[in-house]
Amino acid sequence: MHQEIRDEALTRINIVRHGGSRRRPRSTATVRNQVAHAAPILLACSERYRTLRQVTRSDVTECLAQWSTPHNEAVALRDMFKTLNSQRLLFANPARGVSLGAKPSSVPMPLSPGAIQTMAAAADADPALKLLIALIGIHALYPHQARALPLTAIDFTRSRLLLDDIDHPLDDFTRQAAANYTRLRHERWPHTRNPHLFISSQTAHTRTPVTTGRMQPLLRGLPVTAQRLREDRILEEAAATGADPQHLCAVFNITPETGLRYIRFFQSEHTEEGVAA
């Protein structure tokens, strides 16, 4: 890659990573993801030009035509050229108005045995993480639901999990995880009046729920995100009930389109089995 194109790309990366006057900073993972989608096209341009100022609209559309579903690549390119144009490093934005195309539909995949084993080991050492895993991985709560869960949602007397339209029986794992965490919660903050199940040093003296920034570190370093954990639970339910999308919609309060996303995993498995046979 020519040094000038490399420098232009690094300028854009630094702006995305650290933000600017009209742009908030993005995470390292987001930056890496965008770079991965833009890199092949940057390399292709480097074979023709010495600077991105020479890139034309036809170059952009030609590069994007190499992908069957270039949505992510188009997003990365439009953002890159727009950013460089705003910094006056380009005379014009060659990707302006380029069609993004249809966003590729992702198919949820189950967690690997190794990921589950690593997660279980980490949960045994952290009562808060263990309860969070139970709420998302067994009861399929969204992370924001877990954060907002009131202490009274865990009904030990009737052995139920209660939240709005959710009324689930407490399984042994969740019940024990909740008991261990609430015990720890009381020991650390015996005088708190915060009504929420999950609290922290910052919220123990308030009545507000913990922030996303407090919950995210619980899963940091693990080979799983809260979203992947919830998807694994829904896939488990689909496997146990014959991959019925209507059942998934009713149990997990998801849209029919989302329910079909989970069914596609089993359809692809059956297709592969048929080819192998």
Side-chain angles (χ1 to χ4, degrees), residues 53-70:
R53 290 192 295 274
Q54 297 173 276
V55 177
T56 66
R57 184 182 179 84
S58 62
D59 291 324
V60 173
T61 55
E62 180 183 328
C63 287
L64 292 176
Q66 299 176 21
W67 280 267
S68 58
T69 53

Side-chain angles (χ1 to χ4, degrees), residues 21 28 38 61 81 152 156 184 201 204 208 222 236 257:
S21 58
T28 301
T61 55
F81 284 115
T152 54
F156 289 104
L184 176 65
S201 299
T208 59
L222 295 179
E236 181 184 44
E257 292 79 9

Side-chain angles (χ1 to χ4, degrees), residues 200-226:
S200 66
S201 299
Q202 286 71 39
T203 64
H205 305 294
T206 71
R207 299 184 67 83
T208 59
V210 293
T211 62
T212 303
R214 170 66 182 87
M215 299 294 275
Q216 286 178 337
L218 291 176
L219 295 170
R220 185 173 296 161
L222 295 179
V224 62
T225 62

Side-chain angles (χ1 to χ4, degrees), residues 11 19 35 58 86 89 96 115 157 181 209 218 236 240 258 263 269 275:
T11 297
V35 169
S58 62
S86 69
L89 294 176
R96 183 177 183 180
T157 302
Y181 174 74
L218 291 176
E236 181 184 44
T258 302
I263 303 308
E269 270 205 333
V275 172

Side-chain angles (χ1 to χ4, degrees), residues 18-37:
H18 302 292
S21 58
R22 296 184 179 181
R23 184 167 188 160
R24 64 184 178 87
R26 306 302 296 269
S27 68
T28 301
T30 297
V31 174
R32 287 176 178 171
N33 186 50
Q34 292 186 0
V35 169
H37 289 301

Side-chain angles (χ1 to χ4, degrees), residues 3 5-6 66 69 73 78-80 91 124 129 131 139 144 167 170 183 189 201 215 223 246 248:
Q3 185 61 47
I5 290 182
R6 184 189 300 273
Q66 299 176 21
T69 53
E73 288 73 20
R78 280 178 51 166
D79 184 80
M80 178 180 67
F91 302 122
D124 284 339
L129 173 60
L131 180 55
H139 298 276
H144 74 270
D167 185 353
L170 280 183
R183 187 181 307 113
W189 303 286
S201 299
M215 299 294 275
Q246 292 183 337
L248 298 182

Side-chain angles (χ1 to χ4, degrees), residues 185-206:
R185 180 185 187 278
H186 179 71
E187 290 173 356
R188 287 184 178 176
W189 303 286
H191 304 298
T192 182
R193 293 180 179 275
N194 192 310
H196 298 92
L197 179 63
F198 288 103
I199 60 176
S200 66
S201 299
Q202 286 71 39
T203 64
H205 305 294
T206 71

